Amino acid sequence: MSDLIHKNVIIIGSGPAGLTAAIYAARANLSPVIFEGDQPGGQLTTTNDVENYPGFEDGITGPDLMDVMRKQAVRFGAEAKFEYVTKVDFSATPHHVWVGNKEYTADTVIIATGASAKYLGLPSEEKLKGFGVSACATCDGFFYRDKEVFVVGGGDSALEEAGFLTKFASKVYLIHRRDEFRGSKIMRKRVLDNPKVEVLWNTTIDTVLGEPAQGGVVGAILKDTVTGETREQAVDGIFMAIGHKPNTEVFKDFLKTDDTGYLITKPDSTATDIPGVFAAGDVRDHVYRQAITAAGNGCMAALEAERYITEKEG
Ligand code: NAP
């Protein structure tokens, strides 16, 4: 007897893209299974208040938003499994997906594994994630009205986030490890012309200061990358903008990615080059990276998967 379990739709990832795909696929009677991965709910579960997701006038916490999305998907017949996909084979149909030793086949696979913000990797930073250390200015900038913040990075993301944060913060210190930005000329000029931004060149963060139980971040120990000297500076929040890494490792033998590792889909579509395999959300989007755009993309993927199955059944 075969251990193979066949599904109409397998959804890999459980952020807004994956769960929205699950809601739509479940409502189309496709009984999707969602492999939630090692961070059920995705990046939003590391965010406190979400105030820009339409429909929640008073805001909602990231974990609560993902919880209601999951419940909504399950209510219509989606199966959510706290399991991590370890291997895939998209070389023939049906497609194969493994969770450890367990093997599944599927007519369609929706990849919604998201992207992970890069962090510096400091224990002090890890401890204060969600307590003043953030990697999303759009999500958390609003909480720093009239406060002082650090933005770390020298690429377009850091330049953009520094500018965005000046709408709220009284002062933005842009911390860059070199003496020249990687970001584009126009963005560099915009930041350098902004009187609320001060660039701290040749600087890195050595230690983030503060305790989660005592109000979170209070400052950081900064290190000069040329002289090695350290000094302390007080701030209320620290925004990491040193890049994102799309979670595509398990698919790399089958799917095309761009230079920065994001999955490539067809224009105005979530279809990849492989029939029946779709990609939605941050794993294919390095531009918008919002919960609402990921959710919209998840909806598209489910509709496209449904259409693919219907056409195949003829
Ligand atoms: P990025 O271009 O890779 O820049 C990352 C920055 O973080 C670099 O300046 C890098 O320093 C710094 N960094 C990396 N690791 C670090 C570490 N461990 N410690 C300290 N600093 C570190 O990433 P991105 O800014 O997120 O941009 C990604 C892509 O999206 C780019 O192609 C960008 O043009 C695009 N993007 C475009 C826009 C826009 O056009 N509006 C906005 C955002 C992003 P070094 O420079 O020293 O390597």
Side-chain angles (χ1 to χ4, degrees):
M1 196 180 82
S2 168
D3 284 325
L4 277 183
I5 304 164
H6 185 77
K7 295 281 170 188
N8 302 309
V9 184
I10 285 179
I11 298 168
I12 308 175
S14 57
L19 293 179
T20 305
I23 292 167
Y24 274 76
R27 285 175 58 79
N29 275 336
L30 292 172
S31 310
V33 62
I34 314 153
F35 293 121
E36 295 198 76
D38 56 4
Q39 191 184 17
Q43 288 185 71
L44 271 193
T45 55
T46 62
T47 304
N48 278 334
D49 293 298
V50 180
E51 296 188 328
N52 56 7
Y53 198 89
F56 298 93
E57 187 184 2
D58 300 318
I60 182 167
T61 70
D64 282 353
L65 178 60
M66 300 325 295
D67 204 37
V68 291
M69 271 196 208
R70 183 183 302 101
K71 285 182 179 148
Q72 192 177 354
V74 169
R75 180 158 85 85
F76 294 113
E79 192 185 353
K81 288 177 173 285
F82 182 21
E83 289 182 350
Y84 191 86
V85 169
T86 47
K87 191 174 131 186
V88 298
D89 185 346
F90 297 153
S91 59
T93 53
H95 300 301
H96 288 245
V97 171
W98 283 263
V99 174
N101 292 328
K102 223 187 293 174
E103 185 176 356
Y104 291 80
T105 54
D107 297 322
T108 60
V109 177
I110 296 175
I111 297 167
T113 45
S116 304
K118 291 186 198 161
Y119 286 87
L120 298 171
L122 306 168
S124 56
E125 166 195 56
E126 183 63 31
K127 181 178 77 179
L128 287 153
K129 271 184 198 168
F131 297 93
V133 171
S134 169
C136 180
T138 319
C139 320
D140 297 328
F142 186 77
F143 303 110
Y144 294 91
R145 194 171 286 285
D146 299 327
K147 298 189 170 176
E148 298 198 348
V149 296
F150 287 153
V151 172
V152 183
D156 281 331
S157 293
L159 300 176
E160 189 170 76
E161 303 226 326
F164 175 79
L165 285 164
T166 59
K167 291 184 188 168
F168 311 101
S170 53
K171 181 96 189 180
V172 174
Y173 294 94
L174 183 51
I175 294 182
H176 185 35
R177 63 183 175 185
R178 294 188 291 133
D179 62 359
E180 133 185 77
F181 288 131
R182 177 181 296 277
S184 57
K185 198 171 166 189
I186 183 161
M187 307 271 274
R188 292 198 300 250
K189 179 169 174 7
R190 213 174 281 161
V191 151
L192 293 171
D193 287 349
N194 189 324
K196 280 171 110 181
V197 178
E198 183 177 331
V199 183
L200 305 180
W201 300 106
N202 297 320
T203 302
T204 53
I205 291 187
D206 186 67
T207 311
V208 181
L209 301 172
E211 287 300 326
Q214 288 156 23
V217 167
V218 294
I221 298 173
L222 303 179
K223 189 173 181 182
D224 187 310
T225 55
V226 178
T227 64
E229 277 170 27
T230 57
R231 69 179 178 87
E232 219 173 289
Q233 185 169 333
V235 276
D236 304 290
I238 302 179
F239 287 85
M240 300 301 167
I242 59 172
H244 280 76
K245 190 178 179 305
N247 301 315
T248 55
E249 186 61 26
V250 80
F251 314 110
K252 67 176 190 310
D253 291 340
F254 300 96
L255 296 175
K256 283 189 192 148
T257 59
D258 68 13
D259 293 349
T260 46
Y262 288 83
L263 293 183
I264 295 172
T265 52
K266 294 184 176 160
D268 299 324
S269 166
T270 61
T272 67
D273 267 357
I274 297 181
V277 178
F278 303 88
D282 287 15
V283 74
R284 58 160 295 277
D285 167 27
H286 62 83
V287 180
Y288 298 104
R289 299 197 297 238
Q290 299 301 298
I292 188 65
T293 48
N297 229 223
C299 162
M300 285 169 63
L303 295 176
E304 290 184 278
E306 185 190 354
R307 197 176 309 141
Y308 174 84
I309 289 170
T310 310
E311 280 169 10
K312 226 177 148 218
E313 282 169 353

